[in-house]
Amino acid sequence: MGKVDLKKASTYYLIGNLFNKGISFLTVPVFSRLLDISDYGIVTTFNSWVAILSMIFGFAIYMGIRAAFIDFEDKIDNVVSVTSTFTVLSGIIISFFIVSACILININLSVTLIVLCCIQGISSALIQNYSMYLMMKYRYKVRTALMILPNLLSALISIVVVAWIVKDKLYLGRIVPTTAVYVIFALWILFLIFRRSKMFFNREYLLYALKISAPLVLHGIALNILSQSDLTMITWLADSSQAGLYSLIYNFSMIATVITTSLDGVWIPWFTEKLKLRQTDEINERVTDYINLMAIALIGVILISPEVVKILASRQYWDGISIIPPIVIANYLVFAYTLYVNIEHFYKRTIYITINTLIAASSNIILNYIFIPKFGYVAAAYTTVASYLLAFILHTNYAKRLEHNLYPIIKFVPSIIQIFIVTIVFYVFIDRWLVRWGLAIIYLIIVALNNKKRIQAYLPTRI
């Protein structure tokens, strides 16, 4: 791919992720007013289970599709059709046992909700598989559309249904339209897949993909533990009000990850291709810009965040402003260790990815159990940093055995020093917004002037 294509792809992915974040942000106050607390809680819980089930139904096989671009690139359409068939069949079979077990055990849950959850889980797994295929194919326009349209359409239809059509069980007005939209997109994806390849089963392709992806199911669960256990344990060991405060600050501080989520769509296929060609020097050269960009974004979030939180949230949430720097630092560590995880993915060492993530997740639970009763939600912010630092050390150590020369640690030092200095500035001038915003502007001007040519090289000439 040429440079212009890569820059355009990055721009499209950034727009897509920002759009999705915007939809999520703007619909929260809408649905929190249209739905009562109980209905809203059901919808939130439903979405959490859909995320887990989509990973279980699909056995995270999208990661097998990613690896297949290394070993079966000329047969990739066959690989995608085989893995999609498997996703549908495994989803149907597992769903049958889940629904049957819930009916037999007489669990106090709506069978309708369980069925809808399973259907949306299968659809989400298929969409994720195809999204990975599009990413590795550099089909960024179609992938961006797939990122935006399901969420946008389901949100708009749900608002109409909840506001003017459904009178009882309002949560169904949010859940049913979302499930229907995802099913429609999943069916369309299946049509596109099987139009290119009529291969429904191939033992070699399926075993290849499952060998890589199956261990990552536990990895995904461990990541959920890392990201969600804080809230659960704060509620359990402290109180729900602290959990709500922590949740708002955590979600706001994660906003900088929109950049990495967007650029990963270009970085991963580019990195895979370059490593296949053994062009490690070029990878190391480009990763410096990647690291610096992430540092700039995080520094900006730290410096301007107190005022943004005060605008977006009521005064009762303002106490949580003090934990923004550690959560932002945790985001940086996630970005950093993911670079090394990509090396492990390339060499198909997914079992080690899972083991390292499980260790980090376990450490987070233990540290939370020790410190949250003493220091409340503040402790959770710092235990998150400690757990992600452990994940960084574990993944870096193993990845260095596979590719010793890739991503020298020294490349992270300048950005770490800058983030550390800005964190000190944050706490010293936490109540003096003019100083922090002034420093943020000065910092961005200096960065822009010192890197003018490099910035211009990455900007697309046209979208």
Side-chain angles (χ1 to χ4, degrees):
M1 297 294 294
K3 287 184 178 179
V4 174
D5 292 314
L6 292 176
K7 290 186 289 185
K8 286 168 66 177
S10 302
T11 305
Y12 269 84
Y13 289 154
L14 183 59
I15 292 171
N17 278 292
L18 287 172
F19 198 90
N20 269 340
K21 287 289 183 181
I23 293 171
S24 300
F25 181 77
L26 292 173
T27 55
V28 166
V30 174
F31 285 111
S32 63
R33 286 167 172 78
L34 290 175
L35 304 173
D36 61 31
I37 296 175
S38 176
D39 288 324
Y40 195 81
I42 292 172
V43 172
T44 304
T45 305
F46 178 89
N47 291 335
S48 299
W49 277 104
V50 167
I52 294 172
L53 287 178
S54 67
M55 186 164 40
I56 294 172
F57 292 159
F59 286 80
I61 211 161
Y62 63 94
M63 296 308 303
I65 294 172
R66 170 178 163 179
F69 274 85
I70 300 172
D71 298 317
F72 298 105
E73 188 170 8
D74 58 334
K75 302 289 185 182
I76 194 63
D77 288 331
N78 291 335
V79 175
V80 173
S81 63
V82 169
T83 51
S84 297
T85 302
F86 172 80
T87 299
V88 173
L89 292 177
S90 66
I92 292 172
I93 293 169
I94 296 172
S95 297
F96 173 78
F97 284 107
I98 290 174
V99 174
S100 299
C102 291
I103 293 173
L104 291 173
I105 299 173
N106 196 24
I107 294 177
N108 187 27
L109 289 172
S110 167
V111 175
T112 301
L113 279 182
I114 297 169
V115 172
L116 289 171
C117 189
C118 291
I119 292 173
Q120 190 174 327
I122 297 171
S123 302
S124 297
L126 287 170
I127 292 172
Q128 194 168 30
N129 290 352
Y130 196 65
S131 180
M132 178 62 74
Y133 169 82
L134 294 173
M135 184 184 81
M136 298 302 291
K137 279 282 191 180
Y138 290 101
R139 295 181 60 186
Y140 54 89
K141 292 182 181 180
V142 180
R143 185 170 184 260
T144 302
L146 192 60
M147 291 164 59
I148 293 174
L149 290 177
N151 290 333
L152 175 61
L153 292 175
S154 62
L156 293 176
I157 296 171
S158 296
I159 290 172
V160 173
V161 172
V162 173
W164 290 290
I165 298 177
V166 177
K167 303 300 180 184
D168 188 29
K169 296 183 179 179
L170 297 180
Y171 59 86
L172 289 176
R174 178 62 170 131
I175 291 172
V176 173
T178 302
T179 301
V181 169
Y182 271 76
V183 168
I184 291 169
F185 273 89
L187 291 173
W188 176 247
I189 284 170
L190 287 175
F191 170 75
L192 294 176
I193 289 171
F194 292 120
R195 187 177 64 176
R196 284 190 293 267
S197 171
K198 298 297 190 296
M199 183 178 288
F200 296 100
F201 178 76
N202 181 287
R203 188 173 181 273
E204 179 186 10
Y205 297 158
L206 184 57
L207 290 179
Y208 171 89
L210 286 175
K211 182 179 179 182
I212 292 164
S213 67
L216 291 174
V217 175
L218 282 177
H219 168 69
I221 293 172
L223 283 178
N224 278 330
I225 292 172
L226 263 174
S227 61
Q228 300 297 324
S229 62
D230 287 348
L231 289 175
T232 303
M233 297 189 76
I234 290 171
T235 303
W236 172 36
L237 299 171
D239 57 70
S240 58
S241 62
Q242 289 193 45
L245 190 153
Y246 181 86
S247 176
L248 184 138
I249 300 299
Y250 184 90
N251 288 328
F252 170 77
S253 301
M254 290 284 287
I255 195 169
T257 59
V258 171
I259 295 175
T260 50
T261 304
S262 306
L263 295 182
D264 262 356
V266 175
W267 178 264
I268 290 172
W270 180 86
F271 163 82
T272 302
E273 184 65 26
K274 293 297 179 182
L275 194 52
K276 282 167 64 177
L277 299 173
R278 302 304 306 163
Q279 295 176 352
T280 54
D281 289 341
E282 186 174 355
I283 294 174
N284 282 332
E285 180 184 352
R286 296 299 179 190
V287 82
T288 302
D289 295 330
Y290 200 9
I291 292 169
N292 291 339
L293 176 62
M294 191 59 184
I296 292 167
L298 294 175
I299 287 170
V301 170
I302 291 174
L303 289 175
I304 71 172
S305 56
E307 287 65 48
V308 178
V309 170
K310 289 177 182 179
I311 292 171
L312 296 177
S314 59
R315 184 177 291 273
Q316 61 183 327
Y317 291 98
W318 293 5
D319 287 343
I321 289 173
S322 62
I323 66 170
I324 288 174
I327 294 176
V328 169
I329 291 170
N331 290 337
Y332 180 83
L333 291 170
V334 172
F335 157 75
Y337 85 64
T338 301
L339 290 173
Y340 291 102
V341 168
N342 288 334
I343 298 174
E344 296 170 319
H345 275 303
F346 182 87
Y347 286 99
K348 311 176 191 67
R349 305 301 172 85
T350 51
I351 186 64
Y352 293 97
I353 297 174
T354 300
I355 291 171
N356 290 339
T357 307
L358 284 171
I359 292 172
S362 300
S363 72
N364 191 49
I365 292 174
I366 294 170
L367 291 173
N368 280 338
Y369 186 77
I370 295 172
F371 293 107
I372 286 178
K374 297 178 181 179
F375 304 104
Y377 71 91
V378 175
Y382 290 95
T383 59
T384 298
V385 173
S387 301
Y388 282 133
L389 177 60
L390 177 60
F392 173 76
I393 293 170
L394 292 172
H395 287 297
T396 301
N397 180 60
Y398 186 72
K400 283 295 182 182
R401 300 181 197 175
L402 304 172
E403 285 287 346
H404 179 71
N405 295 322
L406 267 183
Y407 310 145
I409 297 296
I410 192 68
K411 287 186 175 292
F412 295 95
V413 173
S415 59
I416 291 173
I417 293 174
Q418 291 179 58
I419 293 172
F420 179 73
I421 293 172
V422 169
T423 298
I424 295 174
V425 170
F426 174 91
Y427 286 116
V428 172
F429 298 105
I430 191 169
D431 295 319
R432 302 181 66 179
W433 71 270
L434 197 59
V435 175
R436 285 184 286 98
W437 281 68
L439 289 173
I441 293 170
I442 293 170
Y443 174 77
L444 290 175
I445 291 173
I446 293 173
V447 169
L449 292 176
N450 288 340
N451 299 276
K452 184 178 179 180
K453 291 183 178 179
R454 297 190 72 84
I455 293 171
Q456 289 176 340
Y458 284 100
L459 293 175
T461 53
R462 59 187 177 86
I463 297 178

